Amino acid sequence: MRENFLSFSLPLVGQEEIDEVIDALKSGWLTAGPKTRQFEQEFRTAFQTPSALALNSCTAGLHVALKALNIGPGDEVITTPMTFAASVNVIEHVGAKPVLVDVEPDTLNIQPDAVQRAITHATKAIIAVHYAGHPVELNALRSIASEYQLHLIEDAAHAVGAEFEGKPIGCGDNLTAFSFYATKNLTTGEGGMLTGSQELLDHARIVSLHGMSREAWSRYAAGGKWAYDIVEPGFKYNMTDIQAAIGLQQLRRFPKMQDRRRQIVEMYNEAFSRHSAFLTPVTRSHVTNAWHLYVLRLRAGELSIGRDQFIQEMTARKIGTSVHFIPIHMHSFYRDKYSYHPDDFPIANAAYQNMLSLPLSPSMSDQDVADVIEAVLDIRSQFGRRRAAA
Ligand SMILES: *Cc1c(COP(=O)(O)O)cnc(C)c1O
């Protein structure tokens, strides 16, 4: 067994990021300034987005998106239970009502048919989450959105670098929020990017910075104007140049980091897909998976232990794991406010009961990957049903 504990998700940060941060610190611009603008430009080029607004988180991006689209009290927003709380909390923040619908059994992404059935006169938007880095069925969701005149907002926290029909997630005109949280595929420690049409982002930029008509750095830069106006009570959600410095170097490192993720996924699939105890993640042929997470699902009845004990056995073998996600409707706030029962979304609930996320990070060595595989297969041979029955 390995000596040290393998973290579930270690960021890959090198000397280049360190040097760029030092450059930012020495430059005199600490908050949003030239490096933030450069990061927006380079992100825009890398992922063919019409425009880009760097923020301090993806949560901020989703909140700003709802505000910029004037979604509020009396409105309903359809989303998935299989997501992190942030995707749904923001709907509560603006005073609108989240309406959850169940997920597809294989990708665990929101079901377009279920979205359509949930539409009412109050529905204003859909928040679609590209779960684990596998894009949602964008064509189906786009046509529902246009038929019913709804806004489609993409939570692309897992989907930097993902593609749908050969086009990068974020290349559309609709608002799309990316996360650069420490565990995400591309990190700035904390951070996010909102993409979409220039027109939508012009409004979002104002909402994201106090509702001010002009940004601080251009006000104080040489030749800049001192005057500004508050056109609405906005938020304080900007990125800093220190974060953008990390992001600029992460962008350069990104293709290699994604290659390494894919290699690790192939090694996992090769090791686990031959065993009936496991359900390995799928990738539909018309998408490129960003592989934010490797979600292994245990097949009911194939092991004598459940998911919780499987995780304990992994921990005992010094392998960090996690669960993505405890479905939204099972959290006490949402359960109590909307009187949800676990089986209201049976596919999400069943998947949750049997899932765990294995370590997946470009910082992992081949030995780390081999250790994870060995631990999983060892638990299978110890607790496999046949052996337990013998
Ligand atoms: C991480 C995550 C977020 C929030 O991202 P932050 O940058 O931490 O705000 C939102 N949605 C999903 C699905 C996430 O995994």
Side-chain angles (χ1 to χ4, degrees):
M1 203 200 306
R2 42 186 298 132
E3 297 254 297
N4 61 329
F5 194 81
L6 178 64
S7 273
F8 165 69
S9 179
L10 263 190
L12 182 60
V13 169
Q15 193 59 45
E16 294 85 349
E17 283 85 347
I18 294 168
D19 292 343
E20 191 84 33
V21 167
I22 290 171
D23 189 60
L25 291 172
K26 288 179 172 170
S27 74
W29 272 114
L30 299 186
T31 185
K35 284 196 197 291
T36 304
R37 297 294 92 88
Q38 188 188 346
F39 183 41
E40 287 172 344
Q41 282 310 313
E42 293 195 13
F43 189 90
R44 192 175 161 180
T45 306
F47 303 110
Q48 300 166 34
T49 71
S51 193
L53 170 63
L55 298 169
N56 60 12
S57 72
C58 173
T59 308
L62 294 168
H63 191 192
V64 163
L66 292 172
K67 276 285 178 187
L69 297 169
N70 297 313
I71 290 166
D75 297 336
E76 294 180 0
V77 179
I78 300 174
T79 191
T80 169
M82 190 50 79
T83 187
F84 183 58
S87 326
V88 190
N89 287 348
V90 291
I91 303 171
E92 296 283 337
H93 289 162
V94 300
K97 180 185 175 187
V99 173
L100 304 179
V101 301
D102 212 350
V103 294
E104 301 170 332
D106 54 348
T107 63
L108 304 186
N109 275 326
I110 199 166
Q111 284 179 23
D113 289 351
V115 169
Q116 183 147 10
R117 286 194 298 274
I119 292 170
T120 70
H121 289 297
T123 309
K124 288 282 152 48
I126 303 163
I127 297 184
V129 180
H130 303 293
Y131 174 81
H134 190 297
V136 297
E137 284 305 326
L138 270 177
N139 286 342
L141 290 173
R142 278 178 185 141
S143 66
I144 292 169
S146 83
E147 185 180 343
Y148 294 90
Q149 299 191 346
L150 309 176
H151 299 289
L152 177 62
I153 300 169
E154 293 169 65
D155 177 339
H158 300 181
V160 181
E163 294 175 349
F164 183 85
E165 292 185 342
K167 295 202 195 100
I169 294 300
C171 73
D173 275 338
N174 61 306
L175 291 172
T176 301
F178 295 89
S179 174
F180 309 134
Y181 182 65
T183 59
K184 299 287 159 59
N185 289 30
L186 186 158
T187 187
T188 61
E190 297 278 357
M193 191 74 80
L194 188 64
T195 65
S197 70
Q198 185 70 54
E199 190 190 351
L200 283 173
L201 285 200
D202 284 347
H203 186 195
R205 197 175 284 276
I206 290 169
V207 173
S208 73
L209 200 68
H210 307 296
M212 223 162 58
S213 67
R214 215 173 265 284
E215 285 180 328
W217 78 281
S218 58
R219 271 193 289 132
Y220 293 117
K225 276 168 66 182
W226 56 267
Y228 65 89
D229 182 35
I230 299 299
V231 295
E232 60 182 287
F235 304 103
K236 182 68 199 305
Y237 281 164
N238 61 281
M239 181 175 273
T240 71
D241 268 22
I242 303 166
Q243 292 167 304
I246 306 173
L248 282 167
Q249 293 302 325
Q250 286 273 296
L251 261 184
R252 294 188 175 64
R253 200 185 287 286
F254 190 69
K256 274 202 178 131
M257 291 200 292
Q258 289 299 97
D259 284 348
R260 181 60 182 160
R261 279 182 184 272
R262 276 189 286 274
Q263 277 175 2
I264 296 170
V265 166
E266 276 169 30
M267 290 188 262
Y268 282 166
N269 281 342
E270 161 77 17
F272 306 139
S273 60
R274 67 181 78 193
H275 296 291
S276 59
F278 305 120
L279 206 58
T280 53
V282 299
T283 301
R284 292 186 182 164
S285 59
H286 56 293
V287 308
T288 301
N289 197 326
W291 290 116
H292 172 55
L293 299 171
Y294 189 94
V295 178
L296 187 70
R297 289 156 75 184
L298 310 177
R299 272 220 181 82
E302 293 281 336
L303 296 167
S304 63
I305 57 171
R307 185 271 316 278
D308 293 359
Q309 200 186 334
F310 199 99
I311 286 179
Q312 283 171 21
E313 294 292 335
M314 291 293 283
T315 309
R317 287 164 180 78
K318 298 189 176 169
I319 307 292
T321 57
S322 192
V323 173
H324 298 86
F325 293 97
I326 300 168
I328 296 299
H329 68 293
M330 296 171 80
H331 290 292
S332 59
F333 173 82
Y334 291 100
R335 181 194 65 207
D336 297 347
K337 181 166 181 180
Y338 298 106
S339 305
Y340 282 130
H341 184 270
D343 260 337
D344 285 348
F345 309 104
I347 299 170
N349 184 26
Y352 161 65
Q353 301 296 337
N354 292 313
M355 61 165 55
L356 69 155
S357 303
L358 299 182
L360 178 57
S361 153
S363 66
M364 289 169 72
S365 67
D366 283 351
Q367 187 59 54
D368 292 335
V369 179
D371 289 344
V372 175
I373 291 172
E374 186 189 316
V376 169
L377 296 183
D378 185 45
I379 297 168
R380 188 202 77 97
S381 60
Q382 197 175 337
F383 298 100
R385 195 189 49 188
R386 240 157 302 177
R387 186 185 167 124

